[in-house]
Amino acid sequence: MAGGQERVLRRRIRSVQSTRKITKAMELIAASQIPRSLARIIANRPYRLGMQRIVLDAALGDPAGAKKLLTLSEKIDTALVLVITGDRGLSGPYNNASLRAGERLVTKLKSEGTQVQLFCVGKKAAAFFRFRGLDVQESFAGFVDKPTYADAQEIARHLAGPFMSGEAQQVLLVSTRYLSAGSQAVRVEQLLPLVIPELPEPTEPEPLHGYTEFEPDVKKLLFFLMPRALESEIFSALLEGAASFHTSQQRAMAAATDNADELGQTLTRVMNRARQDSITTEIMEIVGGAEALRSGK
Amino acid sequence: MATLNVEILSPEAALWTGTASALMARSSEGNFTVLPEHTATVGDVVSSVVRVQTDEGEIAFAVHSGFFQVGKGLEPDTTLATVLASVAERTTEIDVARAQAAKDAAESRLAAATKGEDEELLAYAALERAELRLSAAAK
Protein backbone atom coordinates (compact mmCIF):
# COMPACT_ATOMS: atom_id res chain seq x y z
CA MET A 1 0.00 0.00 0.00
CA ALA A 2 1.49 3.30 -1.10
CA GLY A 3 0.33 5.53 1.78
CA GLY A 4 1.73 3.11 4.33
CA GLN A 5 5.15 3.25 2.77
CA GLU A 6 5.14 6.99 2.94
CA ARG A 7 4.29 6.93 6.64
CA VAL A 8 7.12 4.48 7.37
CA LEU A 9 9.60 6.67 5.52
CA ARG A 10 8.44 9.78 7.34
CA ARG A 11 9.04 8.03 10.65
CA ARG A 12 12.53 6.96 9.61
CA ILE A 13 13.43 10.47 8.50
CA ARG A 14 12.35 11.83 11.87
CA SER A 15 14.46 9.25 13.66
CA VAL A 16 17.52 10.01 11.52
CA GLN A 17 17.06 13.70 12.17
CA SER A 18 16.87 13.29 15.93
CA THR A 19 19.98 11.09 15.88
CA ARG A 20 21.69 13.80 13.87
CA LYS A 21 20.84 16.34 16.55
CA ILE A 22 22.53 14.14 19.16
CA THR A 23 25.64 13.48 17.12
CA LYS A 24 25.93 17.16 16.21
CA ALA A 25 25.70 18.15 19.87
CA MET A 26 28.32 15.57 20.83
CA GLU A 27 30.57 16.83 18.05
CA LEU A 28 30.33 20.39 19.33
CA ILE A 29 30.91 19.38 22.94
CA ALA A 30 33.96 17.30 22.00
CA ALA A 31 35.28 20.14 19.85
CA SER A 32 34.93 22.56 22.76
CA GLN A 33 36.95 20.22 24.99
CA ILE A 34 39.87 19.89 22.57
CA PRO A 35 41.53 23.30 23.10
CA ARG A 36 41.23 22.96 26.86
CA SER A 37 42.83 19.52 26.94
CA LEU A 38 45.59 20.67 24.58
CA ALA A 39 46.32 23.65 26.80
CA ARG A 40 46.77 21.26 29.71
CA ILE A 41 49.28 19.17 27.74
CA ILE A 42 51.24 22.31 26.95
CA ALA A 43 51.09 23.51 30.56
CA ASN A 44 52.38 20.13 31.72
CA ARG A 45 55.27 20.01 29.28
CA PRO A 46 57.85 22.10 31.23
CA TYR A 47 57.27 20.00 34.33
CA ARG A 48 57.55 16.74 32.45
CA LEU A 49 60.75 17.80 30.70
CA GLY A 50 62.18 19.14 33.94
CA MET A 51 61.47 15.82 35.61
CA GLN A 52 63.19 13.94 32.79
CA ARG A 53 66.18 16.25 33.07
CA ILE A 54 66.48 15.65 36.80
CA VAL A 55 66.23 11.88 36.40
CA LEU A 56 68.88 12.02 33.69
CA ASP A 57 71.18 14.13 35.87
CA ALA A 58 70.71 11.81 38.81
CA ALA A 59 71.35 8.79 36.61
CA LEU A 60 74.51 10.37 35.25
CA GLY A 61 75.65 11.17 38.74
CA ASP A 62 75.59 7.54 39.78
CA PRO A 63 75.70 5.40 36.65
CA ALA A 64 76.37 2.21 38.58
CA GLY A 65 73.48 2.69 40.96
CA ALA A 66 71.30 3.98 38.19
CA LYS A 67 71.99 0.92 36.11
CA LYS A 68 70.56 -1.24 38.85
CA LEU A 69 67.47 0.92 39.18
CA LEU A 70 66.95 1.82 35.58
CA THR A 71 67.71 -1.28 33.57
CA LEU A 72 65.40 -4.15 33.02
CA SER A 73 66.14 -7.26 35.01
CA GLU A 74 67.04 -10.25 32.86
CA LYS A 75 64.14 -12.38 33.91
CA ILE A 76 60.71 -10.88 34.08
CA ASP A 77 58.36 -13.03 36.14
CA THR A 78 55.61 -10.50 36.55
CA ALA A 79 54.78 -7.45 34.48
CA LEU A 80 52.20 -4.82 35.31
CA VAL A 81 50.25 -3.53 32.33
CA LEU A 82 48.40 -0.24 32.52
CA VAL A 83 45.85 0.31 29.76
CA ILE A 84 44.34 3.76 29.31
CA THR A 85 40.99 4.14 27.55
CA GLY A 86 37.97 6.39 27.87
CA ASP A 87 34.90 6.07 30.06
CA ARG A 88 32.51 6.45 27.17
CA GLY A 89 32.16 5.04 23.72
CA LEU A 90 31.00 6.82 20.55
CA SER A 91 34.53 8.02 20.09
CA GLY A 92 35.65 6.34 16.90
CA PRO A 93 38.62 4.05 17.13
CA TYR A 94 39.99 5.60 20.33
CA ASN A 95 38.99 2.91 22.84
CA ASN A 96 39.33 -0.07 20.57
CA ALA A 97 42.78 0.79 19.34
CA SER A 98 44.31 0.74 22.80
CA LEU A 99 42.23 -2.25 23.90
CA ARG A 100 43.49 -4.30 20.94
CA ALA A 101 47.06 -3.22 21.58
CA GLY A 102 46.64 -4.08 25.24
CA GLU A 103 45.23 -7.49 24.45
CA ARG A 104 48.04 -8.23 22.01
CA LEU A 105 50.60 -7.19 24.60
CA VAL A 106 49.04 -9.38 27.29
CA THR A 107 48.93 -12.38 24.94
CA LYS A 108 52.54 -11.83 23.95
CA LEU A 109 53.73 -11.51 27.55
CA LYS A 110 51.82 -14.61 28.58
CA SER A 111 53.27 -16.62 25.70
CA GLU A 112 56.73 -15.66 26.99
CA GLY A 113 55.84 -17.08 30.36
CA THR A 114 55.39 -13.75 32.12
CA GLN A 115 52.66 -13.28 34.67
CA VAL A 116 50.55 -10.25 33.84
CA GLN A 117 48.71 -8.01 36.24
CA LEU A 118 46.28 -5.70 34.50
CA PHE A 119 45.52 -2.17 35.61
CA CYS A 120 42.77 -0.38 33.73
CA VAL A 121 42.03 3.30 33.38
CA GLY A 122 38.59 4.10 31.99
CA LYS A 123 35.36 2.13 32.19
CA LYS A 124 35.82 0.72 28.72
CA ALA A 125 39.08 -1.02 29.52
CA ALA A 126 37.81 -2.69 32.69
CA ALA A 127 34.63 -3.89 30.95
CA PHE A 128 36.55 -5.20 27.94
CA PHE A 129 39.12 -7.21 29.88
CA ARG A 130 36.61 -8.56 32.40
CA PHE A 131 34.43 -9.73 29.52
CA ARG A 132 37.43 -11.53 28.04
CA GLY A 133 37.86 -13.34 31.33
CA LEU A 134 41.10 -11.62 32.28
CA ASP A 135 41.81 -10.67 35.84
CA VAL A 136 41.79 -6.94 36.30
CA GLN A 137 43.93 -6.09 39.29
CA GLU A 138 42.65 -2.59 39.74
CA SER A 139 40.53 -0.27 37.66
CA PHE A 140 40.27 3.47 37.78
CA ALA A 141 37.45 5.40 36.16
CA GLY A 142 35.48 8.59 36.26
CA PHE A 143 38.22 11.08 35.59
CA VAL A 144 39.61 10.32 32.16
CA ASP A 145 37.92 13.33 30.53
CA LYS A 146 39.62 15.71 32.93
CA PRO A 147 42.43 13.92 34.73
CA THR A 148 43.99 15.64 37.72
CA TYR A 149 47.47 15.10 39.05
CA ALA A 150 45.98 13.43 42.12
CA ASP A 151 44.49 10.78 39.82
CA ALA A 152 47.93 10.10 38.38
CA GLN A 153 49.36 9.87 41.88
CA GLU A 154 46.71 7.35 42.87
CA ILE A 155 47.49 5.16 39.85
CA ALA A 156 51.24 5.51 40.38
CA ARG A 157 50.88 4.43 43.99
CA HIS A 158 49.29 1.15 42.91
CA LEU A 159 51.96 0.50 40.27
CA ALA A 160 55.03 1.54 42.23
CA GLY A 161 54.27 -0.68 45.22
CA PRO A 162 54.70 -4.08 43.54
CA PHE A 163 57.68 -2.81 41.56
CA MET A 164 59.51 -1.45 44.61
CA SER A 165 58.92 -4.63 46.58
CA GLY A 166 60.31 -6.67 43.71
CA GLU A 167 57.02 -8.47 43.11
CA ALA A 168 56.95 -7.15 39.56
CA GLN A 169 59.95 -6.43 37.38
CA GLN A 170 58.42 -4.30 34.68
CA VAL A 171 55.59 -1.80 34.31
CA LEU A 172 54.21 -1.21 30.84
CA LEU A 173 51.79 1.43 29.62
CA VAL A 174 49.39 1.17 26.70
CA SER A 175 47.95 4.55 25.84
CA THR A 176 47.11 6.86 23.01
CA ARG A 177 49.66 9.55 22.33
CA TYR A 178 48.57 12.87 20.93
CA LEU A 179 51.05 13.41 18.11
CA SER A 180 49.18 16.19 16.35
CA ALA A 181 45.63 17.29 15.63
CA GLY A 182 45.55 14.87 12.71
CA SER A 183 47.29 11.93 14.22
CA GLN A 184 47.02 10.04 17.47
CA ALA A 185 48.63 6.68 17.86
CA VAL A 186 48.58 3.91 20.39
CA ARG A 187 51.96 3.32 21.97
CA VAL A 188 53.27 0.67 24.29
CA GLU A 189 55.83 2.21 26.59
CA GLN A 190 57.84 1.06 29.55
CA LEU A 191 57.13 3.06 32.70
CA LEU A 192 59.33 1.18 35.14
CA PRO A 193 62.23 0.73 35.23
CA LEU A 194 62.38 4.36 34.12
CA VAL A 195 63.48 4.81 30.56
CA ILE A 196 66.35 7.17 30.01
CA PRO A 197 67.27 7.52 26.38
CA GLU A 198 70.84 8.64 26.90
CA LEU A 199 71.90 6.43 29.77
CA PRO A 200 75.64 6.00 29.33
CA GLU A 201 77.55 2.83 29.99
CA PRO A 202 78.62 2.86 33.64
CA THR A 203 82.18 1.95 32.72
CA GLU A 204 82.72 5.16 30.80
CA PRO A 205 83.55 8.12 32.98
CA GLU A 206 81.55 11.17 31.99
CA PRO A 207 83.79 14.11 32.76
CA LEU A 208 81.27 16.73 31.66
CA HIS A 209 78.59 15.56 34.01
CA GLY A 210 80.84 14.71 36.91
CA TYR A 211 80.38 17.98 38.73
CA THR A 212 76.76 17.79 39.70
CA GLU A 213 76.18 17.93 43.43
CA PHE A 214 73.41 15.99 45.06
CA GLU A 215 71.33 16.77 48.10
CA PRO A 216 70.66 14.20 49.62
CA ASP A 217 73.14 11.79 48.06
CA VAL A 218 72.32 10.43 44.67
CA LYS A 219 71.24 6.93 45.71
CA LYS A 220 68.60 8.26 48.08
CA LEU A 221 67.58 10.87 45.56
CA LEU A 222 67.01 8.34 42.79
CA PHE A 223 64.90 6.33 45.18
CA PHE A 224 62.70 9.35 45.96
CA LEU A 225 62.70 10.47 42.37
CA MET A 226 61.38 7.27 40.88
CA PRO A 227 57.76 7.46 42.12
CA ARG A 228 57.54 11.17 41.22
CA ALA A 229 58.87 10.49 37.73
CA LEU A 230 56.36 7.68 37.35
CA GLU A 231 53.52 10.01 38.37
CA SER A 232 54.70 12.59 35.90
CA GLU A 233 54.76 10.08 33.02
CA ILE A 234 51.33 8.70 33.93
CA PHE A 235 49.89 12.20 34.20
CA SER A 236 51.15 13.17 30.78
CA ALA A 237 49.74 9.93 29.35
CA LEU A 238 46.37 10.72 30.95
CA LEU A 239 46.40 14.24 29.52
CA GLU A 240 47.31 13.05 26.04
CA GLY A 241 44.71 10.31 26.32
CA ALA A 242 42.03 12.86 27.19
CA ALA A 243 43.00 15.08 24.27
CA SER A 244 43.05 12.09 21.91
CA PHE A 245 39.67 10.99 23.19
CA HIS A 246 38.06 14.34 22.51
CA THR A 247 39.70 14.63 19.10
CA SER A 248 38.67 11.13 18.13
CA GLN A 249 35.13 11.68 19.37
CA GLN A 250 34.81 14.96 17.54
CA ARG A 251 35.92 13.35 14.30
CA ALA A 252 33.66 10.32 14.74
CA MET A 253 30.66 12.46 15.56
CA ALA A 254 31.32 14.80 12.64
CA ALA A 255 31.32 11.76 10.34
CA ALA A 256 28.12 10.47 11.95
CA THR A 257 26.45 13.85 11.44
CA ASP A 258 27.46 13.85 7.78
CA ASN A 259 26.10 10.35 7.38
CA ALA A 260 22.82 11.34 8.99
CA ASP A 261 22.57 14.30 6.59
CA GLU A 262 23.12 12.05 3.61
CA LEU A 263 20.74 9.39 4.83
CA GLY A 264 18.06 11.98 5.55
CA GLN A 265 18.43 13.39 2.05
CA THR A 266 18.17 9.96 0.40
CA LEU A 267 15.16 9.03 2.50
CA THR A 268 13.46 12.34 1.71
CA ARG A 269 13.91 11.68 -2.01
CA VAL A 270 12.50 8.16 -1.70
CA MET A 271 9.61 9.48 0.32
CA ASN A 272 8.84 12.23 -2.20
CA ARG A 273 8.80 9.68 -4.98
CA ALA A 274 6.51 7.43 -2.97
CA ARG A 275 4.17 10.34 -2.33
CA GLN A 276 4.21 11.30 -6.01
CA ASP A 277 3.50 7.69 -6.92
CA SER A 278 0.55 7.51 -4.62
CA ILE A 279 -0.85 10.79 -5.95
CA THR A 280 -0.44 9.59 -9.53
CA THR A 281 -2.13 6.32 -8.71
CA GLU A 282 -4.96 8.16 -7.03
CA ILE A 283 -5.50 10.45 -10.04
CA MET A 284 -5.43 7.44 -12.35
CA GLU A 285 -8.05 5.78 -10.22
CA ILE A 286 -10.29 8.86 -10.21
CA VAL A 287 -9.89 9.37 -13.95
CA GLY A 288 -10.45 5.67 -14.54
CA GLY A 289 -13.55 5.72 -12.35
CA ALA A 290 -14.94 8.82 -14.09
CA GLU A 291 -14.29 7.24 -17.51
CA ALA A 292 -16.12 4.12 -16.44
CA LEU A 293 -19.11 6.11 -15.17
CA ARG A 294 -19.31 8.17 -18.37
CA SER A 295 -19.09 5.18 -20.70
CA GLY A 296 -21.63 3.35 -18.58
CA LYS A 297 -24.31 6.03 -19.20
CA MET B 1 76.90 39.78 34.74
CA ALA B 2 75.61 36.34 35.36
CA THR B 3 71.88 36.07 35.68
CA LEU B 4 69.73 33.51 37.44
CA ASN B 5 66.63 32.26 35.70
CA VAL B 6 64.12 30.58 37.94
CA GLU B 7 61.28 28.25 37.00
CA ILE B 8 58.71 27.11 39.52
CA LEU B 9 56.82 24.27 37.82
CA SER B 10 53.88 22.14 38.82
CA PRO B 11 52.33 19.39 36.67
CA GLU B 12 49.33 21.59 35.90
CA ALA B 13 51.18 24.78 35.05
CA ALA B 14 54.37 26.76 35.13
CA LEU B 15 53.70 28.83 38.25
CA TRP B 16 56.41 31.35 37.72
CA THR B 17 59.36 31.87 35.42
CA GLY B 18 61.67 34.81 35.34
CA THR B 19 64.94 36.35 36.34
CA ALA B 20 65.79 36.49 40.01
CA SER B 21 68.69 37.44 42.20
CA ALA B 22 68.28 34.50 44.59
CA LEU B 23 66.19 31.41 45.24
CA MET B 24 65.74 30.10 48.76
CA ALA B 25 64.29 26.75 49.69
CA ARG B 26 64.72 23.83 52.04
CA SER B 27 65.93 20.37 51.07
CA SER B 28 66.04 17.31 53.29
CA GLU B 29 69.58 18.36 54.22
CA GLY B 30 68.68 21.89 55.24
CA ASN B 31 68.01 25.36 53.93
CA PHE B 32 69.83 26.47 50.86
CA THR B 33 70.11 29.53 48.67
CA VAL B 34 70.83 29.52 44.97
CA LEU B 35 72.62 32.55 43.57
CA PRO B 36 73.74 33.18 39.99
CA GLU B 37 76.62 30.91 38.95
CA HIS B 38 75.63 28.29 41.49
CA THR B 39 77.24 24.93 40.74
CA ALA B 40 75.16 22.23 39.09
CA THR B 41 73.05 20.63 41.79
CA VAL B 42 70.13 18.22 41.94
CA GLY B 43 68.17 17.66 45.11
CA ASP B 44 64.85 17.43 46.80
CA VAL B 45 62.64 20.13 48.28
CA VAL B 46 60.72 19.30 51.42
CA SER B 47 57.39 20.88 52.30
CA SER B 48 58.34 24.46 52.88
CA VAL B 49 58.08 27.96 51.58
CA VAL B 50 60.25 28.62 48.55
CA ARG B 51 61.24 32.25 48.14
CA VAL B 52 62.40 33.96 44.99
CA GLN B 53 64.07 37.33 45.26
CA THR B 54 63.54 39.54 42.27
CA ASP B 55 64.10 43.20 41.53
CA GLU B 56 60.44 43.83 42.28
CA GLY B 57 60.59 42.15 45.65
CA GLU B 58 60.18 38.70 47.07
CA ILE B 59 57.77 36.11 45.73
CA ALA B 60 56.94 33.17 47.94
CA PHE B 61 55.48 29.78 47.07
CA ALA B 62 54.15 27.08 49.33
CA VAL B 63 55.74 23.94 47.89
CA HIS B 64 54.53 20.55 49.06
CA SER B 65 57.62 18.47 48.43
CA GLY B 66 59.37 18.24 45.13
CA PHE B 67 62.77 18.49 43.53
CA PHE B 68 65.09 21.16 42.31
CA GLN B 69 67.79 21.31 39.72
CA VAL B 70 70.39 23.96 39.15
CA GLY B 71 72.37 23.94 35.97
CA LYS B 72 73.63 26.03 33.10
CA GLY B 73 70.92 27.93 31.29
CA LEU B 74 70.41 27.82 27.56
CA GLU B 75 71.91 31.25 27.02
CA PRO B 76 75.56 31.84 27.91
CA ASP B 77 76.31 33.22 31.32
CA THR B 78 72.96 32.23 32.80
CA THR B 79 72.13 29.81 35.55
CA LEU B 80 68.84 27.98 35.45
CA ALA B 81 67.19 26.89 38.67
CA THR B 82 64.14 24.69 38.30
CA VAL B 83 61.82 23.74 41.13
CA LEU B 84 59.45 20.88 40.38
CA ALA B 85 56.60 20.43 42.82
CA SER B 86 53.65 18.09 42.53
CA VAL B 87 51.60 20.64 44.45
CA ALA B 88 52.59 24.27 44.83
CA GLU B 89 50.98 27.67 44.94
CA ARG B 90 51.82 31.27 45.48
CA THR B 91 51.38 32.28 49.06
CA THR B 92 49.30 35.27 48.02
CA GLU B 93 46.82 32.95 46.34
CA ILE B 94 46.21 30.68 49.31
CA ASP B 95 42.62 30.56 50.46
CA VAL B 96 43.02 30.65 54.23
CA ALA B 97 39.45 29.64 55.01
CA ARG B 98 39.75 26.64 52.71
CA ALA B 99 43.09 25.63 54.16
CA GLN B 100 41.65 25.86 57.67
CA ALA B 101 38.70 23.69 56.65
CA ALA B 102 41.09 21.21 55.03
CA LYS B 103 43.15 21.12 58.22
CA ASP B 104 40.10 20.37 60.34
CA ALA B 105 38.96 17.66 57.92
CA ALA B 106 42.43 16.11 57.86
CA GLU B 107 42.61 16.09 61.66
CA SER B 108 39.33 14.23 61.98
CA ARG B 109 40.40 11.85 59.20
CA LEU B 110 43.65 11.19 60.99
CA ALA B 111 41.81 10.51 64.24
CA ALA B 112 39.50 8.03 62.50
CA ALA B 113 42.22 6.21 60.53
CA THR B 114 43.73 2.99 61.83
CA LYS B 115 47.44 3.00 62.46
CA GLY B 116 49.73 1.81 59.69
CA GLU B 117 47.09 1.95 56.98
CA ASP B 118 47.46 3.96 53.77
CA GLU B 119 44.59 6.08 54.97
CA GLU B 120 46.62 7.27 57.94
CA LEU B 121 49.50 8.34 55.71
CA LEU B 122 47.18 10.11 53.30
CA ALA B 123 45.42 11.93 56.10
CA TYR B 124 48.75 12.90 57.60
CA ALA B 125 49.96 14.22 54.26
CA ALA B 126 46.75 16.23 53.89
CA LEU B 127 47.23 17.67 57.36
CA GLU B 128 50.80 18.61 56.56
CA ARG B 129 49.71 20.36 53.35
CA ALA B 130 47.02 22.33 55.16
CA GLU B 131 49.40 23.37 57.91
CA LEU B 132 52.02 24.53 55.43
CA ARG B 133 49.41 26.57 53.57
CA LEU B 134 48.27 28.23 56.77
CA SER B 135 51.76 29.05 57.97
CA ALA B 136 52.81 30.28 54.52
CA ALA B 137 49.76 32.50 54.19
CA ALA B 138 50.26 33.94 57.67
CA LYS B 139 53.69 35.34 56.79
Side-chain angles (χ1 to χ4, degrees), chain A residues 40 43-44 46-47 50-51 53-54 57 147-149 153 157 211-216 221 224-225 228 235, chain B residues 7 9-14 27-29 32 39-44 67-69 80 82 84-86 118:
Chain A
R40 294 188 71 198
N44 169 250
Y47 181 87
M51 187 56 89
R53 267 203 327 262
I54 287 190
D57 256 15
T148 65
Y149 193 70
Q153 284 179 313
R157 221 158 45 84
Y211 295 113
T212 306
E213 284 180 9
F214 296 97
E215 249 190 80
L221 192 67
F224 289 140
L225 210 47
R228 295 290 100 74
F235 187 56
Chain B
E7 301 177 320
L9 308 174
S10 85
E12 298 276 2
S27 84
S28 57
E29 314 233 302
F32 65 90
T39 182
T41 311
V42 174
D44 60 354
F67 297 93
F68 75 93
Q69 181 185 39
L80 179 68
T82 311
L84 298 175
S86 38
D118 277 0

Side-chain angles (χ1 to χ4, degrees), chain B residues 61-75:
Chain B
F61 301 86
V63 169
H64 309 278
S65 86
F67 297 93
F68 75 93
Q69 181 185 39
V70 183
K72 275 210 171 0
L74 290 175
E75 289 142 50

Side-chain angles (χ1 to χ4, degrees), chain A residues 69 78-82 117 119 137-138 140 151-172 191-194 222-234, chain B residues 118:
Chain A
L69 269 173
T78 307
L80 310 184
V81 176
L82 178 69
Q117 288 187 17
F119 291 78
Q137 199 73 23
E138 199 79 48
F140 311 88
D151 298 323
Q153 284 179 313
E154 170 76 9
I155 297 168
R157 221 158 45 84
H158 281 87
L159 293 174
F163 182 80
M164 292 295 208
S165 70
E167 200 183 307
Q169 289 78 36
Q170 192 181 24
V171 181
L172 293 163
L191 286 176
L192 290 175
L194 294 174
L222 264 175
F223 188 75
F224 289 140
L225 210 47
M226 200 150 73
R228 295 290 100 74
L230 175 67
E231 282 166 12
S232 164
E233 287 304 307
I234 292 177
Chain B
D118 277 0

Side-chain angles (χ1 to χ4, degrees), chain B residues 107-131:
Chain B
E107 272 168 350
S108 56
R109 246 177 94 188
L110 194 59
T114 37
K115 261 204 168 352
E117 293 267 308
D118 277 0
E119 171 65 18
E120 192 200 359
L121 293 174
L122 290 175
Y124 191 72
L127 179 62
E128 219 171 32
R129 278 200 298 277
E131 277 173 350

